[in-house]
Amino acid sequence: MSAVTYAFLGPEGTFTEAALLQVPGAADATRIPCTNVNTALDRVRTGEADAAMVPIENSVEGGVTATLDAIATGEELRIIREALVPITFVLVARPGVELSDIKRISTHGHAWAQCRLWVDEHLPNADYVPGSSTAAAAMGLLEDDAPYEAAICGPLIAAEQSGLNVLAEDIGDNPEAVTRFILVSKPGLLPDRTGADKTTVVVPLPEDHPGALMEILDQFASRGVNLSRIESRPTGQYLGHYFFSIDADGHAADARVADALAGLHRISPATRFLGSYARADKQPATVAPHTSDAAFASAHAWVESILKGS
């Protein structure tokens, strides 16, 4: 048995486990399913797991707020890897249940949002019963007192649960839907830069004044660093107090990104660095000549020469 232990948003058979299985060696490692994102991350913080796989972004629904909030507070963690999983859904029920019998459907909120058009067309009178995950909703059908007749889940859990029938396949409203997952560990050495990397930070708004957000964005724009995601989340301290969760193209070892991080820290000292890691899609960043490592090195050398009087 592998000495490595991974936590993930469970139960078994979720899209999150499918993402985890993309990690080399994870199939042979100890895998601990967790009931929610906070629990999975706490397993890492307490040392019960070496890393945790959790969802952070969906191409249809946007950011996963539970993850964005959980990694922005508490003991610091680092993102060391990301994974992309195409999302497809099926409708399952116990043997003998037909579409006409379904009055209540359970699934995770994100899955429900991604299948609403299909449900409205085929089961317009069905009520939604919130589930902690798609897999939990499906497995709940195996209980005698399940308060719903059907569940929306992924094909993996449907295939693993022999006591369920698939009533409909590919019921998602967007066939191109993809969810992004992150593998999170305790802080340590950063993964090597690959040329196709991503850096994630959390930046609290230090003071609410005209142009405050522009000051944050300008740290990236003035150095030629593209942002692939930016979302605001309330800090919970008081109304109107927010932090920004940001994904930037590049690695902290890139001169332009390092300079942007330093600028962020100057204007918002509570900025939290969440990691630099390889992009799952392997798309390299576009770097203008004047923002390359060589350009930054040349500029610093020029300033040094001035200070030395040469």
Coordinates of all heavy atoms in Angstrom, one line a residue, residues 141-187:
L141 N -30.6 6.6 -2.6 CA -31.8 5.9 -3.2 C -31.8 4.4 -2.7 O -32.9 3.8 -2.8 CB -31.7 5.9 -4.7 CG -32.0 7.2 -5.4 CD1 -31.7 7.1 -6.9 CD2 -33.5 7.5 -5.2
L142 N -30.7 3.9 -2.3 CA -30.6 2.5 -1.9 C -31.2 2.3 -0.5 O -31.4 1.2 0.0 CB -29.2 2.0 -1.9 CG -28.5 2.1 -3.3 CD1 -27.1 1.6 -3.2 CD2 -29.3 1.2 -4.3
E143 N -31.5 3.4 0.2 CA -32.1 3.3 1.5 C -33.6 3.2 1.4 O -34.2 3.8 0.5 CB -31.7 4.6 2.4 CG -30.2 4.8 2.5 CD -29.8 6.0 3.3 OE1 -30.8 6.8 3.7 OE2 -28.6 6.3 3.4
D144 N -34.2 2.5 2.3 CA -35.6 2.2 2.2 C -36.4 3.4 2.4 O -37.5 3.6 1.8 CB -36.0 1.1 3.2 CG -35.4 -0.2 2.9 OD1 -35.1 -0.5 1.7 OD2 -35.3 -1.0 3.9
D145 N -35.9 4.4 3.2 CA -36.7 5.6 3.5 C -36.3 6.8 2.7 O -36.4 7.9 3.2 CB -36.7 5.9 5.0 CG -35.2 6.1 5.5 OD1 -34.3 5.8 4.7 OD2 -35.1 6.6 6.6
A146 N -35.7 6.6 1.5 CA -35.2 7.7 0.7 C -36.4 8.7 0.4 O -37.4 8.2 -0.1 CB -34.6 7.2 -0.6
P147 N -36.2 10.0 0.7 CA -37.3 11.0 0.5 C -37.4 11.5 -0.9 O -37.9 12.6 -1.2 CB -36.9 12.1 1.5 CG -35.4 12.1 1.5 CD -35.0 10.6 1.4
Y148 N -36.9 10.7 -1.9 CA -37.0 11.1 -3.3 C -36.9 9.8 -4.1 O -36.5 8.8 -3.6 CB -35.8 12.1 -3.7 CG -34.5 11.6 -3.2 CD1 -33.6 10.8 -4.0 CD2 -34.0 12.0 -1.9 CE1 -32.4 10.4 -3.6 CE2 -32.7 11.6 -1.5 CZ -31.9 10.8 -2.3 OH -30.7 10.4 -1.9
E149 N -37.4 10.0 -5.4 CA -37.5 8.8 -6.2 C -36.4 8.6 -7.2 O -36.2 7.6 -7.8 CB -38.8 8.8 -7.0 CG -40.1 8.7 -6.2 CD -40.4 10.1 -5.5 OE1 -40.2 11.1 -6.1 OE2 -40.9 10.0 -4.4
A150 N -35.6 9.7 -7.5 CA -34.5 9.7 -8.5 C -33.4 10.6 -8.1 O -33.5 11.4 -7.2 CB -35.1 10.1 -9.8
A151 N -32.3 10.4 -8.7 CA -31.1 11.2 -8.4 C -30.3 11.5 -9.7 O -30.4 10.7 -10.7 CB -30.1 10.5 -7.4
I152 N -29.7 12.7 -9.7 CA -28.8 13.1 -10.8 C -27.4 12.9 -10.4 O -27.0 13.4 -9.3 CB -29.1 14.5 -11.3 CG1 -30.5 14.7 -11.8 CG2 -28.0 15.0 -12.3 CD1 -30.8 16.1 -12.1
C153 N -26.6 12.1 -11.1 CA -25.2 11.8 -10.7 C -24.4 11.6 -11.9 O -24.8 11.7 -13.1 CB -25.2 10.6 -9.8 SG -25.7 9.0 -10.6
G154 N -23.1 11.3 -11.7 CA -22.2 11.0 -12.8 C -22.2 9.6 -13.2 O -22.7 8.7 -12.5
P155 N -21.8 9.3 -14.4 CA -21.8 7.9 -14.9 C -21.0 6.9 -14.1 O -21.3 5.8 -14.0 CB -21.2 8.0 -16.4 CG -21.5 9.5 -16.7 CD -21.4 10.2 -15.5
L156 N -19.9 7.4 -13.5 CA -19.1 6.6 -12.7 C -19.8 6.0 -11.5 O -19.8 4.8 -11.3 CB -17.9 7.3 -12.2 CG -16.9 6.6 -11.3 CD1 -16.3 5.4 -12.0 CD2 -15.8 7.5 -10.8
I157 N -20.5 6.8 -10.7 CA -21.3 6.3 -9.6 C -22.4 5.4 -10.0 O -22.8 4.4 -9.4 CB -21.8 7.4 -8.7 CG1 -22.3 6.9 -7.4 CG2 -22.8 8.3 -9.4 CD1 -21.3 6.2 -6.5
A158 N -23.0 5.8 -11.2 CA -24.2 5.0 -11.7 C -23.7 3.6 -12.1 O -24.4 2.6 -11.8 CB -24.8 5.6 -12.9
A159 N -22.5 3.5 -12.6 CA -21.9 2.2 -13.0 C -21.6 1.3 -11.8 O -21.7 0.1 -11.8 CB -20.7 2.4 -13.9
E160 N -21.1 2.0 -10.7 CA -20.7 1.3 -9.5 C -21.8 0.8 -8.7 O -21.7 -0.1 -7.9 CB -19.7 2.2 -8.7 CG -18.4 2.4 -9.4 CD -17.5 3.3 -8.6 OE1 -18.0 3.9 -7.6 OE2 -16.3 3.4 -8.9
Q161 N -23.0 1.5 -8.8 CA -24.1 1.1 -7.9 C -25.1 0.2 -8.7 O -25.9 0.6 -9.4 CB -24.9 2.3 -7.5 CG -24.1 3.3 -6.6 CD -23.6 2.6 -5.3 OE1 -24.3 1.8 -4.8 NE2 -22.4 3.0 -4.8
S162 N -24.9 -1.1 -8.5 CA -25.6 -2.1 -9.3 C -27.1 -2.1 -9.0 O -27.9 -2.7 -9.7 CB -25.0 -3.5 -9.1 OG -25.1 -3.9 -7.7
G163 N -27.5 -1.5 -7.9 CA -28.9 -1.5 -7.5 C -29.7 -0.4 -8.1 O -30.9 -0.2 -7.7
L164 N -29.1 0.4 -9.0 CA -29.8 1.5 -9.6 C -29.9 1.3 -11.1 O -29.0 0.7 -11.7 CB -29.0 2.8 -9.3 CG -28.9 3.2 -7.8 CD1 -28.1 4.4 -7.7 CD2 -30.3 3.4 -7.2
N165 N -31.0 1.8 -11.7 CA -31.2 1.8 -13.1 C -31.0 3.2 -13.7 O -31.4 4.2 -13.0 CB -32.6 1.4 -13.5 CG -32.8 -0.1 -13.3 OD1 -31.8 -0.9 -13.2 ND2 -34.0 -0.5 -13.2
V166 N -30.3 3.3 -14.8 CA -30.2 4.6 -15.5 C -31.4 4.9 -16.4 O -31.7 4.1 -17.3 CB -28.9 4.6 -16.4 CG1 -28.8 5.9 -17.1 CG2 -27.7 4.4 -15.5
L167 N -32.1 5.9 -16.0 CA -33.4 6.2 -16.8 C -33.1 7.2 -18.0 O -33.9 7.2 -18.9 CB -34.4 6.9 -15.9 CG -34.9 6.0 -14.7 CD1 -35.9 6.8 -13.9 CD2 -35.4 4.7 -15.2
A168 N -32.0 8.0 -17.9 CA -31.7 8.9 -18.9 C -30.2 9.2 -18.9 O -29.7 9.4 -17.8 CB -32.5 10.2 -18.8
E169 N -29.6 9.4 -20.0 CA -28.2 9.7 -20.1 C -27.9 11.1 -20.7 O -28.8 11.6 -21.4 CB -27.4 8.6 -20.9 CG -27.5 7.2 -20.3 CD -26.7 6.2 -21.2 OE1 -26.9 6.3 -22.4 OE2 -26.0 5.4 -20.6
D170 N -26.8 11.6 -20.4 CA -26.4 12.9 -21.0 C -27.5 14.0 -20.8 O -27.9 14.6 -21.8 CB -26.0 12.8 -22.5 CG -24.8 11.9 -22.7 OD1 -23.9 12.0 -21.8 OD2 -24.7 11.2 -23.7
I171 N -27.9 14.2 -19.6 CA -29.0 15.1 -19.4 C -28.5 16.5 -19.0 O -29.3 17.4 -18.7 CB -29.9 14.6 -18.2 CG1 -29.2 14.6 -16.9 CG2 -30.4 13.2 -18.6 CD1 -30.1 14.2 -15.7
G172 N -27.2 16.8 -19.1 CA -26.7 18.1 -18.8 C -27.1 19.1 -19.9 O -27.2 18.7 -21.1
D173 N -27.4 20.3 -19.5 CA -27.8 21.3 -20.5 C -26.6 21.8 -21.4 O -26.9 22.3 -22.4 CB -28.4 22.5 -19.7 CG -29.6 22.1 -18.9 OD1 -30.3 21.2 -19.3 OD2 -29.8 22.8 -17.8
N174 N -25.4 21.7 -20.9 CA -24.2 22.1 -21.6 C -23.3 20.9 -21.8 O -22.6 20.5 -20.9 CB -23.5 23.2 -20.9 CG -22.4 23.8 -21.7 OD1 -21.9 23.2 -22.6 ND2 -22.0 25.0 -21.4
P175 N -23.2 20.4 -23.1 CA -22.4 19.2 -23.3 C -20.9 19.5 -23.1 O -20.1 18.5 -23.1 CB -22.7 18.8 -24.7 CG -23.3 20.0 -25.4 CD -24.0 20.8 -24.3
E176 N -20.5 20.7 -23.1 CA -19.1 21.1 -23.0 C -18.7 21.4 -21.6 O -17.6 21.9 -21.3 CB -18.8 22.3 -23.9 CG -19.1 22.1 -25.4 CD -18.4 20.9 -26.0 OE1 -17.2 20.7 -25.7 OE2 -19.0 20.2 -26.8
A177 N -19.6 21.1 -20.6 CA -19.3 21.5 -19.2 C -18.1 20.8 -18.7 O -17.8 19.6 -18.9 CB -20.5 21.2 -18.3
V178 N -17.2 21.6 -18.0 CA -16.0 21.1 -17.4 C -15.9 21.6 -15.9 O -16.2 22.8 -15.7 CB -14.8 21.5 -18.2 CG1 -13.5 21.1 -17.5 CG2 -14.8 20.9 -19.6
T179 N -15.4 20.8 -15.0 CA -15.2 21.3 -13.7 C -13.6 21.2 -13.4 O -13.0 20.2 -13.8 CB -15.9 20.5 -12.6 OG1 -17.3 20.7 -12.7 CG2 -15.5 20.9 -11.2
R180 N -13.1 22.3 -12.8 CA -11.7 22.3 -12.5 C -11.5 22.0 -11.0 O -12.3 22.5 -10.1 CB -11.2 23.7 -12.7 CG -9.8 24.0 -12.3 CD -9.4 25.4 -12.7 NE -8.2 25.9 -11.9 CZ -8.1 27.0 -11.2 NH1 -9.2 27.8 -11.2 NH2 -7.0 27.3 -10.6
F181 N -10.6 21.1 -10.7 CA -10.3 20.7 -9.3 C -8.9 21.0 -9.0 O -8.0 21.2 -9.9 CB -10.5 19.2 -9.2 CG -11.9 18.7 -9.5 CD1 -12.3 18.5 -10.8 CD2 -12.8 18.5 -8.5 CE1 -13.6 18.0 -11.1 CE2 -14.1 18.0 -8.7 CZ -14.5 17.8 -10.0
I182 N -8.6 21.2 -7.7 CA -7.3 21.6 -7.3 C -6.8 20.6 -6.2 O -7.6 20.1 -5.4 CB -7.2 23.0 -6.7 CG1 -8.2 23.2 -5.6 CG2 -7.3 24.0 -7.8 CD1 -8.1 24.6 -4.9
L183 N -5.5 20.2 -6.3 CA -4.9 19.4 -5.3 C -4.1 20.3 -4.3 O -3.3 21.0 -4.7 CB -4.0 18.4 -5.9 CG -3.4 17.3 -5.0 CD1 -4.4 16.4 -4.5 CD2 -2.3 16.5 -5.7
V184 N -4.5 20.2 -3.0 CA -4.0 21.1 -2.0 C -3.2 20.4 -1.0 O -3.6 19.3 -0.5 CB -5.2 21.9 -1.3 CG1 -4.7 22.8 -0.3 CG2 -6.0 22.6 -2.4
S185 N -2.0 21.0 -0.6 CA -1.2 20.4 0.4 C -0.7 21.5 1.4 O -1.1 22.6 1.2 CB 0.0 19.7 -0.2 OG 0.9 20.7 -0.7
K186 N 0.1 21.1 2.4 CA 0.7 22.1 3.2 C 1.8 22.9 2.5 O 2.3 22.3 1.5 CB 1.3 21.4 4.5 CG 0.3 21.0 5.5 CD 0.9 20.5 6.8 CE -0.1 20.2 7.9 NZ 0.6 19.8 9.2
P187 N 2.1 24.1 2.9 CA 3.1 24.9 2.2 C 4.5 24.1 2.2 O 4.8 23.4 3.1 CB 3.2 26.1 3.1 CG 1.9 26.3 3.7 CD 1.5 24.9 4.0

